Amino acid sequence: MATLEPVDRNYAERVRQSFAGQGVMAFIGAELTALQPGYCEIQLRFRPELSQQDGFFHAGIISTIADSAAGYAGYTLMPADSRVLTVEYKMNLLSPARGEHLIARGQVIKNGRTLVIAKADVGIVRDGAETPCATLLQTLISLAPPPSR
Amino acid sequence: MATLEPVDRNYAERVRQSFAGQGVMAFIGAELTALQPGYCEIQLRFRPELSQQDGFFHAGIISTIADSAAGYAGYTLMPADSRVLTVEYKMNLLSPARGEHLIARGQVIKNGRTLVIAKADVGIVRDGAETPCATLLQTLISLAPPPSR
Amino acid sequence: MATLEPVDRNYAERVRQSFAGQGVMAFIGAELTALQPGYCEIQLRFRPELSQQDGFFHAGIISTIADSAAGYAGYTLMPADSRVLTVEYKMNLLSPARGEHLIARGQVIKNGRTLVIAKADVGIVRDGAETPCATLLQTLISLAPPPSR
Amino acid sequence: MATLEPVDRNYAERVRQSFAGQGVMAFIGAELTALQPGYCEIQLRFRPELSQQDGFFHAGIISTIADSAAGYAGYTLMPADSRVLTVEYKMNLLSPARGEHLIARGQVIKNGRTLVIAKADVGIVRDGAETPCATLLQTLISLAPPPSR
């Protein structure tokens, strides 16, 4: 884990600004609750508007915060003027996501120059106890900034 | 594709009822626009509330409708009293999802007794032209109904 | 599929040379049986040395030819002096791979500048009839040539 | 990790017997080097016959031992008369697999009744130093024994 040194000292501000720019995070009520070099945690309270047909969190909503948690874990390590895009991810659901809130913990696995591999482990909290409910494995790409006009 | 005969004649009603029970579909504004044995199409209009930091559809939102489109494609072929759960999926993003609306087309690849493998191809429509923007590959499990109370 | 024009007229020779350089292909007995821009087909005869515990083709062996078929499909479209590496893939097994030989058909889904998304569909031939047995979804990266010494 | 109690006391013998029945393991020279409930380690020496075009281990060969390591990690926890099949896996390559030998460490993430989710981390050893080179995330299915004749 020796490579998780941020090249941008202001990574936290940059990530928080990007998070604030994701309309979907405010819409579903997700909060960025922890941030370190190579690590990002996002939490989300349950609401019926986020459910699938059995009343659990919908897999797509789980992946929404897991994708962002892993993506921002990667983005903490990218240069100041870079952009980050998700190339792909795979998510396994480990148990029904029935409970009060989700915690997605994103972590960088491999910090490459162009590609970053990250993962997110998601827990569901019910009656105060947390159970693993999903795990996501992701590829990110670091892009140069768009040309200014 | 000879195996895509539904065992439940009322599959369409059953799927539509389940879709109506997914709180998240109404919340984001997704519509079930086509349904056939082994096939399901879901569309979604863009709103800033569904965006990531660059103003495109967030990958998690794309996967929300792609997961449901593929999952309901599989559910059309399951028995009348069964339930469907997503085991896992993998999604590749093919191009930035910038446009007016998304179309996710779910399709069964392999209709097994317990497990169903399905995929969804997602297009983004911009100025009337559709471009592929994501592809999802998924494993579903067909569960017996929960015991009645 | 308009983008599948090769930039290197000698793509076929280049791909065949790379295939010949994969020690594992000769070792397991795989043959490159078709090649077009954005498409590559590899076949493999069954031998007990390629089996898992039930006497079917081992999933890893299936993925060995599927990964190469998809990877070479992508490599047909890359520049003359480029190299190709697999970033990641996901494979679903659709039915037991019991039979005389495998056919893996690789195809480009998205031909990006740096990243190429490809897939491979694998069939198993038994008593002359082919059945789908696996599908693979892959991300490739196109690399500039290594600096000469 | 409290659920990783084997239901079959003779799990080790059963797994080793299944491993010995995989023709491909002897063919490529793979060895089962560690086994515990929910854990399995497989090692593989490099030979030019296992290479891709740049002389590294071929991704398919890496996945061959990673799939078996994760699969046997899962199989340690299954009933005495069960069979195990891989449903799907996804593998990310983290760095070029250039070196003397591979170590694949399979581990159960979720031990369900029908489905087991497992992972494998693969390291490449070069000049005595190990570097992570791949990570695999897998779904297994536990099957009842085939009917006797």
Side-chain angles (χ1 to χ4, degrees), chain D:
Chain D
M1 293 302 195
T3 58
L4 301 189
E5 195 59 39
V7 294
D8 173 19
R9 280 194 315 171
N10 296 317
Y11 75 88
E13 196 186 345
R14 176 169 47 86
V15 169
R16 288 181 185 282
Q17 206 166 336
S18 177
F19 183 89
Q22 290 201 334
V24 75
M25 291 298 143
F27 184 52
I28 63 176
E31 288 174 77
L32 201 166
T33 46
L35 199 60
Q36 292 162 28
Y39 181 81
C40 175
E41 187 185 286
I42 296 176
Q43 299 200 19
L44 178 63
R45 288 225 135 261
F46 182 75
R47 303 156 55 176
E49 291 89 344
L50 305 178
S51 71
Q52 40 82 286
Q53 71 280 3
D54 299 309
F56 313 151
F57 279 100
H58 191 282
I61 294 299
I62 299 171
S63 79
T64 298
I65 64 163
D67 173 52
S68 280
Y72 283 131
Y75 196 41
T76 60
L77 304 178
M78 295 183 187
D81 55 357
S82 65
R83 289 187 308 141
V84 59
L85 282 179
T86 298
V87 173
E88 60 83 36
Y89 63 76
K90 179 244 209 293
M91 187 174 72
N92 266 79
L93 297 161
L94 305 178
S95 56
R98 181 178 11 187
E100 291 92 48
H101 72 278
L102 291 173
I103 307 177
R105 297 176 177 91
Q107 212 170 318
V108 169
I109 293 178
K110 164 78 183 185
N111 183 27
R113 196 195 312 240
T114 305
L115 299 180
V116 173
I117 315 303
K119 68 169 192 166
D121 290 310
V122 187
I124 177 86
V125 179
R126 192 180 181 188
D127 298 332
E130 183 179 339
T131 311
C133 74
T135 186
L136 176 142
L137 182 56
Q138 183 198 57
T139 307
L140 301 163
I141 189 164
S142 171
L143 297 175
S148 57
R149 279 165 290 180

Side-chain angles (χ1 to χ4, degrees), chain C:
Chain C
M1 295 299 195
T3 56
L4 302 188
E5 196 61 39
V7 294
D8 172 19
R9 279 192 319 170
N10 296 318
Y11 74 87
E13 196 187 343
R14 176 169 46 88
V15 169
R16 287 182 187 283
Q17 207 166 334
S18 177
F19 183 89
Q22 291 201 332
V24 75
M25 291 298 143
F27 184 53
I28 63 176
E31 288 174 78
L32 201 166
T33 47
L35 199 61
Q36 291 162 30
Y39 180 81
C40 175
E41 187 187 287
I42 295 177
Q43 300 200 20
L44 179 62
R45 289 226 133 260
F46 181 75
R47 303 157 54 177
E49 291 90 346
L50 304 178
S51 71
Q52 40 82 284
Q53 71 281 2
D54 299 309
F56 313 150
F57 278 101
H58 192 282
I61 294 299
I62 299 171
S63 79
T64 298
I65 63 163
D67 172 52
S68 280
Y72 283 131
Y75 197 40
T76 61
L77 305 179
M78 294 183 188
D81 56 356
S82 64
R83 290 187 309 142
V84 60
L85 282 179
T86 298
V87 172
E88 60 84 35
Y89 62 78
K90 180 244 206 294
M91 187 175 72
N92 266 79
L93 297 161
L94 305 177
S95 56
R98 181 178 11 188
E100 290 92 47
H101 72 277
L102 291 173
I103 308 177
R105 296 176 179 93
Q107 213 170 316
V108 170
I109 293 178
K110 164 77 183 186
N111 183 25
R113 197 195 313 237
T114 305
L115 299 180
V116 173
I117 315 304
K119 67 169 192 166
D121 290 311
V122 186
I124 176 86
V125 178
R126 191 180 181 187
D127 299 332
E130 184 179 339
T131 310
C133 74
T135 187
L136 176 141
L137 183 54
Q138 181 198 59
T139 307
L140 300 164
I141 190 163
S142 171
L143 298 175
S148 58
R149 280 166 290 181

Side-chain angles (χ1 to χ4, degrees), chain A residues 48-61:
Chain A
E49 291 90 344
L50 304 178
S51 72
Q52 41 82 285
Q53 71 280 2
D54 299 310
F56 313 151
F57 278 100
H58 191 283
I61 294 298

